[in-house]
Amino acid sequence: MFAYILRRLLYAIPILIGVNLLTFALFFVVNTPDDMARLQLGAKHVTPEAIERWKVEHGYDKPLLLNTRVTGSAQLTDTLFFKRSAAMFAFEFGKGDDGRDIGNEIRTRMGPSLAIALPVFVVGLLVNITFALLMVFFRATYLDVWGVVLCVVLMSISGLFYIIAGQYFIAKLWNLLPISGYTGGIHGLKFILLPVLVSVVAGIGSGSRWYRTIFLEEIGKDYVRTARAKGLSEIRVLFRHVLKNGMIPILTGAVVVLPLLFMGSLITESFFGIPGLGSYTIDAIQAQDFSVVRAMVFLGSFLYIVGLILTDISYSWVDPRVRLQ
Amino acid sequence: MSPLLRVDRLVTGIGAARVVDGVSFDVAAGETYALLGESGCGKSMTALSLMRLLPDGGRILSGHVQLGETDVLALPERDMRRVRGGQMAMVFQEPMLALNPVIKVGDQIGEALSLHQGLNGQAARDAARALLDSVGVPDAARRLDSYPFELSGGLRQRMMIAMALAGEPSLLIADEPTTALDVTIQAQVLDVLRNLRAKRRMGMLLITHDLGVVAENADRVGVMYAGELLEEGARDAFFAAPQHPYSRMLFEALPRTGDAGRLTTIAGQVPRLDTQLRGCRFAPRCPFAIARCHAESPGWQELDGQRVRCHLAGSLPAGSVRERVTHPVAAHTPQPLLQVEGLKVHFPIRRGLIQRTVGHVRAVDDVDLTIQAGRTLALVGESGCGKTTVGKALLRLIEPTAGTIMLGGKAVPAKNMPTLRRQAQMVFQDPFSSLNPRMRVADILLEGMDALGVGARGERRGAVARLLDQVGLPDDAGGRYPHAFSGGQRQRIAIARALAVSPRLVICDEPTSALDVSVQAQILNLLKDLQADLGLAYLFITHNLAVVEYLAHDVAVMYLGRIVEQGQAGAVLRTPRHPYTQALVSAVPRIEPPAGQTVIRLAGDQPSPLNPPVGCHFHPRCPHASAVCRQTYPERTDLGGGHWVRCHWVAAQG
């Protein structure tokens, strides 16, 4: 088991290097520092001197891979790749265009992101499983049919609609919760409730419909018939036998997104004014702040790889067939 | 004395189909009643109706089921749950699927103990251990903590039986309990069931398609066809003289010892049960049917203690319905077509951080085979012995680790696949998954010809028509997709596909094991006809010894990757010398057990090929094992007439 986990971790190293090289190529070769400067300065102010000045100010004036102007190991280290890309392995992302340290921003913004994403994840999982089990319990009745219809309706509606409807009814019309904003600590609760509620409702349709399919597939299997033949009640069959097997694909599907919760949600955070990583990314894209975007792309890939490793580990944790072989 | 179980005019529907239609029978305490029939005849649905465990969409339409004092169909669901697993328990066919894969077997048995006997904790554990002891699970205490995937097929089925016994039922329903198991394991499990029934005086409803299993285990037999019982009687009377034409044809469809004639096949198909049926349901396929059979459904008639539903009961012509055609036996000119020497297929086992190869699974280990042109060599063995791997390695579907393969006297070069595959083709086990569902039959047949460049391009379409005719399919079959055909027809397509490139050798990997007896007979007849017409050689890979006797000229018996005995079919099967072959032959349930044959029961399971026993691989299960067997693998002992065996015990006898 230990060797297995170690092997997965070793596999992650070449993938991370690949991700790093790819982001480097995208951000510095496809879109050169000159292009960045032109975009930033706007068409009016573009002169070769202005571009040079912008590049010096932002530290983009170095060669890409090999610096021939210096000697020794600095030939390799005093380059864009080493300073900007390889440094990301140490989670040193440098400064954004606003002059703030990106690493610092990420650390402070993770909290608010998690404050929304984690409850959405946990509550969503519970709600979806409950809904799915209910539909499975009443399978092949009108309750099940209308449940599926409701799911399809729910998943057909744009996520933006839930946000706007939630803000309009709950916050504006009924004055139950604030429209947007965020503070830390226990007082922040009132700001968290609405985005969490909206996100969970927006996810019910696709989530519970998928879980229903998983449970229905399990319930058609022979071991379920065996369990019934023992004289177990339908509830016991559902909770002890079907749920346990159905949770294998559900859990492993959920674990992969677990690390990505740190990244927050782009849309929810910007609509509700949450100072998390999601809104940070959106703002950076709008402001053409390439350092921040690059940092977030790398961080996202890194967390996704962590998620995949966790998935592999969780497989062996929930499924004895994988664990013991 | 009132019977334990009384089923009266039970009718069960699934959707519009009446899958069980007016079935009545009794089972007495301590008696085994066998429900016999082919797939889709409603025997499993009858059992599930008794348990009230029908699949979604199924419901019991009418009838009466009395178990002891209980009116089963009138019980509310709450009380029915006490009956299920309590008074009446069920053992299912495929124990790997029927056990929950993520719960320890001890806990699965404990669940039933807690429900029906109120036992929990240590008391439940003790009771579960006692149950495992009673079904003959060795090392019971440790096995309680196993997951189903850690157990062999035989042990899993014993766990199922232990679980069914947990509620001390008075009726045990066994639905094809040994169909998924190897013959030597099947014999063990059937013994367990027989002993338990006698000890606990349970009634047993045994559901099976296997006449041999019925002959050895049942007290009374009921034959089902298209949702109805057709015939019922005591075992001895039934086997002495089956009265219904369908029962008789089932018997004659079975390949049997020393029988060179064609097998009886039953033309046509089981009628659809969602239509209005008039007359006798078997009439459209019955060679004896008269006008009345098509118009009027026959009632029950008593005949010397047997009951039968047939208008012609008692007036059927005596003797066989089988056509007596003997094939001209191909003149025996020993002309080897395929010669294999020292064939090895080893799969590496990789472990650790860098996946180092730490050992090999010797799936096939030093196998020599010779197949004569125009003759059939049967490769026999239980699951996991490596017989399928041999077949695939011969066609290089799996690359052999070592060994030479000579076709027609010439070595087959490793690079030259087309030459090899033009001469040798394969027919696979399951026709439902071995044909591409998105290709028309004609395209399936053409693909091989196109790939290997067989025949002129313009003539290939014509070749398709000829192939379809050869395997007995209608002309328009080429334009249809595989799903439009029944299992037997699909296997015909698979055979036509193999024949498309005019091979000289066809490797048949269990080609009939997914088919019903009457359909199996059609395929076996077809294979025999094709051999006579085209001079084909077959390598017939199977676990079914009856089929071997019918079809094969020579037999090779495999155990754990090696051939332990080989010779002419008659010699090997009638006078087996290797203790494993002897056990294998004697474990097959037979309709007429050969006189004077002592029944040999093998203990334990086939060991893992990962780690085969040192010395003779068979010694841990062998009744004759001695010190030398534990040390060295035996050399060949020649017994004359091409019959040889690898066994120290036989060698010592001289």
Side-chain angles (χ1 to χ4, degrees):
Chain A
M1 190 63 218
F2 176 73
Y4 175 74
I5 295 174
L6 199 62
R7 197 164 65 236
R8 308 299 321 180
L9 288 174
L10 289 178
Y11 282 159
I13 293 172
I15 302 177
L16 266 181
I17 293 175
V19 167
N20 194 303
L21 287 176
L22 213 64
T23 11
F24 178 76
L26 277 175
F27 281 87
F28 289 107
V29 181
V30 178
N31 183 35
T32 62
D34 287 26
D35 297 334
M36 283 188 238
R38 262 182 227 112
L39 269 171
Q40 284 285 320
L41 296 168
K44 278 185 198 165
H45 309 283
V46 174
T47 58
E49 297 80 49
I51 289 176
E52 264 326 297
R53 195 158 2 103
W54 187 89
K55 276 161 71 178
V56 173
E57 274 170 22
H58 290 85
Y60 289 132
D61 56 337
K62 296 193 169 63
L64 284 181
L65 291 166
L66 194 70
N67 194 342
T68 49
R69 281 170 291 182
V70 292
T71 51
S73 63
Q75 277 204 337
L76 285 174
T77 55
D78 197 20
T79 58
L80 272 181
F81 178 73
F82 191 83
K83 293 258 180 259
R84 288 308 184 101
S85 223
M88 289 203 292
F89 284 122
F91 295 104
E92 280 171 23
F93 301 109
K95 289 182 166 46
D97 288 347
D98 56 0
R100 294 198 208 172
D101 183 63
I102 298 175
N104 215 11
E105 286 287 304
I106 290 174
R107 274 185 288 281
T108 52
R109 283 169 176 270
M110 261 182 184
S113 274
L114 269 186
I116 307 287
L118 200 62
V120 169
F121 174 77
V122 175
V123 176
L125 203 61
L126 290 177
V127 168
N128 292 348
I129 289 175
T130 313
F131 255 65
L133 279 177
L134 272 173
M135 283 190 278
V136 167
F137 187 76
F138 291 107
R139 67 190 173 281
T141 66
Y142 281 110
L143 271 174
D144 176 32
V145 174
W146 285 108
V148 176
V149 170
L150 184 69
C151 281
V152 173
V153 170
L154 283 176
M155 62 194 275
S156 309
I157 297 171
S158 156
L160 295 175
F161 174 83
Y162 294 103
I163 296 176
I164 294 164
Q167 285 181 327
Y168 180 76
F169 287 105
I170 295 175
K172 185 158 183 260
L173 224 52
W174 303 330
N175 261 320
L176 296 174
L177 293 164
I179 283 189
S180 68
Y182 183 82
T183 54
I186 192 76
H187 299 291
L189 195 64
K190 61 173 185 278
F191 291 110
I192 292 172
L193 279 176
L194 186 57
V196 168
L197 179 76
V198 164
S199 305
V200 167
V201 171
I204 285 179
S206 57
S208 39
R209 210 182 64 99
W210 179 37
Y211 295 167
R212 171 182 171 274
T213 329
I214 291 176
F215 289 136
L216 275 185
E217 193 187 318
E218 288 299 324
I219 217 162
K221 289 191 178 166
D222 282 4
Y223 72 84
V224 174
R225 193 176 57 186
T226 311
R228 293 201 187 111
K230 275 188 224 173
L232 297 179
S233 65
E234 191 62 22
I235 298 282
R236 289 261 329 247
V237 170
L238 222 49
F239 275 89
R240 193 169 149 73
H241 290 268
V242 176
L243 187 61
K244 207 165 176 176
N245 281 281
M247 282 313 278
I248 294 175
I250 291 177
L251 265 188
T252 46
V255 164
V256 72
V257 301
L258 211 51
L260 287 176
L261 295 181
F262 285 102
M263 302 284 292
S265 152
L266 299 181
I267 295 170
T268 315
E269 283 184 12
S270 33
F271 268 81
F272 287 98
I274 311 286
L277 285 176
S279 54
Y280 186 49
T281 314
I282 286 272
D283 293 345
I285 292 172
Q286 272 167 350
Q288 310 259 359
D289 188 338
F290 290 101
S291 315
V292 175
V293 176
R294 201 163 42 94
M296 297 313 287
V297 168
F298 183 74
L299 185 66
S301 319
F302 171 76
L303 291 174
Y304 191 63
I305 292 167
V306 172
L308 289 175
I309 294 174
L310 287 180
T311 307
D312 284 344
I313 295 171
S314 70
Y315 247 123
S316 56
W317 176 59
V318 291
D319 194 336
R321 284 163 292 187
V322 181
R323 190 193 322 149
L324 297 171
Q325 271 168 2
Chain B
M1 194 184 86
S2 71
L4 172 68
L5 173 78
R6 166 158 282 165
V7 180
D8 190 24
R9 279 164 293 170
L10 180 70
V11 180
T12 299
I14 293 183
R18 287 155 75 97
V19 290
V20 178
D21 205 353
V23 166
S24 309
F25 62 92
D26 298 341
V27 181
E31 174 191 58
T32 299
Y33 184 94
L35 267 186
L36 177 75
E38 296 186 285
S39 52
C41 71
K43 54 192 194 302
S44 287
M45 284 304 151
T46 306
L48 291 176
S49 303
L50 302 184
M51 294 286 282
R52 287 179 39 191
L53 277 178
L54 289 167
D56 286 340
R59 65 201 183 288
I60 295 163
L61 299 174
S62 66
H64 193 79
V65 176
Q66 184 89 24
L67 178 69
E69 302 297 310
T70 320
D71 181 354
V72 174
L73 300 187
L75 284 180
E77 176 61 26
R78 269 185 70 86
D79 299 330
M80 187 60 207
R81 292 206 290 267
R82 306 195 60 78
V83 174
R84 266 183 224 133
Q87 294 178 46
M88 135 165 94
M90 192 156 171
V91 174
F92 297 95
Q93 173 169 358
E94 172 52 271
M96 185 63 213
L97 302 175
L99 290 167
N100 191 322
V102 299
I103 301 180
K104 291 174 181 169
V105 282
D107 294 342
Q108 297 192 47
I109 298 172
E111 210 173 27
L113 285 166
S114 136
L115 203 65
H116 296 289
Q117 309 219 24
L119 295 175
N120 286 301
Q122 192 56 42
R125 222 182 137 77
D126 292 341
R129 210 181 56 215
L131 279 172
L132 293 200
D133 284 334
S134 72
V135 295
V137 173
D139 202 4
R142 199 168 55 85
R143 287 293 179 208
L144 285 176
D145 291 321
S146 304
Y147 289 95
F149 74 91
E150 298 177 277
L151 304 172
S152 67
L155 280 181
R156 280 186 209 129
Q157 196 57 298
R158 286 167 200 255
M159 295 291 175
M160 273 301 298
I161 297 170
M163 200 187 304
L165 294 176
E168 309 209 317
S170 49
L171 175 74
L172 184 67
I173 303 174
D175 186 358
E176 303 268 12
T178 57
T179 307
L181 305 176
D182 279 318
V183 271
T184 58
I185 306 300
Q186 161 168 295
Q188 295 172 0
V189 170
L190 287 174
D191 280 350
V192 167
L193 283 174
R194 230 186 344 250
N195 294 337
L196 286 169
R197 189 207 62 199
K199 209 185 286 172
R200 301 189 175 220
R201 281 203 50 74
M202 285 187 299
M204 192 154 100
L205 179 62
L206 177 68
I207 291 166
T208 182
H209 68 282
D210 189 331
L211 277 167
V213 170
V214 175
E216 288 193 355
N217 294 279
D219 299 307
R220 288 192 301 132
V221 188
V223 182
M224 277 191 85
Y225 180 80
E228 289 185 331
L229 264 183
L230 291 181
E231 176 166 5
E232 192 187 54
R235 175 192 53 188
D236 293 340
F238 174 75
F239 278 92
Q243 294 296 333
H244 198 281
Y246 176 66
S247 318
R248 288 174 63 173
M249 292 174 85
L250 273 187
F251 273 92
E252 285 164 10
L254 270 187
R256 266 188 268 184
T257 317
D259 198 340
R262 287 173 69 80
L263 300 171
T264 298
T265 60
I266 305 177
Q269 281 170 29
V270 182
R272 290 174 61 101
L273 296 177
D274 53 0
T275 52
Q276 197 70 37
L277 295 168
R278 283 177 67 235
C280 172
R281 292 188 181 181
F282 188 60
R285 304 173 72 187
C286 182
F288 306 106
I290 54 174
R292 191 177 162 209
C293 298
H294 294 284
E296 190 187 326
S297 182
W300 284 104
Q301 295 190 43
E302 295 271 345
L303 268 172
D304 323 322
Q306 273 161 279
R307 297 166 71 232
V308 60
R309 286 179 74 175
C310 178
H311 290 305
L312 299 160
S315 58
L316 279 181
S320 175
V321 286
R322 187 181 287 195
E323 333 161 30
R324 286 283 163 199
V325 183
T326 39
H327 281 291
V329 179
H332 186 194
T333 44
Q335 187 197 0
L337 174 66
L338 180 85
Q339 282 169 293
V340 182
E341 263 169 44
L343 184 71
K344 289 182 186 174
V345 182
H346 293 181
F347 298 107
I349 310 165
R350 297 180 197 278
R351 289 267 164 75
L353 198 56
I354 50 167
Q355 298 287 286
R356 209 157 35 89
T357 303
V358 293
H360 286 96
V361 179
R362 291 153 188 257
V364 177
D365 205 16
D366 210 359
V367 161
D368 302 339
L369 286 175
T370 303
I371 302 174
Q372 314 284 350
R375 282 166 71 91
T376 304
L377 171 69
L379 191 57
V380 184
E382 294 182 286
S383 51
C385 74
K387 56 189 191 299
T388 294
T389 312
V390 169
K392 289 186 174 168
L394 291 183
L395 280 186
R396 290 185 186 275
L397 293 173
I398 299 174
E399 202 53 40
T401 313
T404 55
I405 301 171
M406 309 257 286
L407 246 176
K410 277 179 284 186
V412 179
K415 295 276 183 288
N416 200 344
M417 291 289 193
T419 320
L420 172 66
R421 301 224 169 119
R422 208 171 298 162
Q423 298 199 53
Q425 280 289 318
M426 194 151 180
V427 175
F428 296 94
Q429 175 169 7
D430 184 357
F432 291 90
S433 55
S434 66
L435 298 171
N436 187 337
R438 292 269 161 269
M439 282 172 79
R440 288 174 208 273
V441 171
D443 296 326
I444 291 175
L445 302 185
L446 280 171
E447 200 179 32
M449 290 190 257
D450 288 341
L452 295 177
V454 174
R457 192 173 295 272
E459 291 164 11
R460 286 183 197 151
R461 287 275 158 194
V464 167
R466 184 175 47 77
L467 283 165
L468 289 174
D469 179 56
Q470 223 163 23
V471 298
L473 286 171
D475 295 342
D476 62 346
R480 288 189 274 164
Y481 289 95
H483 67 80
F485 297 91
S486 68
Q489 287 173 320
R490 284 187 217 203
Q491 203 56 298
R492 286 172 194 268
I493 297 170
I495 291 171
R497 189 204 59 74
L499 295 180
V501 300
S502 314
R504 293 202 283 159
L505 170 70
V506 178
I507 298 173
C508 304
D509 187 4
E510 305 261 17
T512 61
S513 66
L515 306 175
D516 273 321
V517 181
S518 62
V519 182
Q520 165 177 293
Q522 296 172 14
I523 298 297
L524 293 181
N525 282 342
L526 174 66
L527 287 173
K528 254 196 167 173
D529 291 345
L530 289 171
Q531 184 165 52
D533 294 346
L534 306 174
L536 291 173
Y538 293 129
L539 175 65
F540 202 88
I541 299 167
T542 185
H543 67 278
N544 187 338
L545 288 177
V547 171
V548 174
E549 284 178 59
Y550 175 71
L551 202 69
H553 304 98
D554 306 295
V555 182
V557 181
M558 250 185 119
Y559 188 77
L560 271 187
R562 297 192 180 197
I563 291 178
V564 295
E565 182 163 3
Q566 191 172 351
Q568 292 201 357
V572 173
L573 295 176
R574 246 159 273 145
T575 54
R577 299 296 301 273
H578 196 284
Y580 176 64
T581 318
Q582 291 175 344
L584 204 61
V585 170
S586 106
V588 179
R590 287 184 195 267
I591 296 168
E592 309 128 3
Q597 186 183 313
T598 46
V599 178
I600 306 165
R601 287 286 181 262
L602 285 183
D605 291 308
Q606 181 172 286
S608 157
L610 215 112
N611 195 6
V614 181
C616 172
H617 292 342
F618 186 61
H619 83 257
R621 301 172 78 189
C622 181
H624 310 293
S626 60
V628 63
C629 303
R630 290 179 201 102
Q631 284 153 12
T632 54
Y633 198 86
E635 290 298 313
R636 269 193 201 195
T637 306
D638 223 308
L639 301 168
H643 189 176
W644 59 261
V645 61
R646 281 177 182 272
C647 178
H648 292 302
W649 178 64
V650 175
Q653 285 177 329

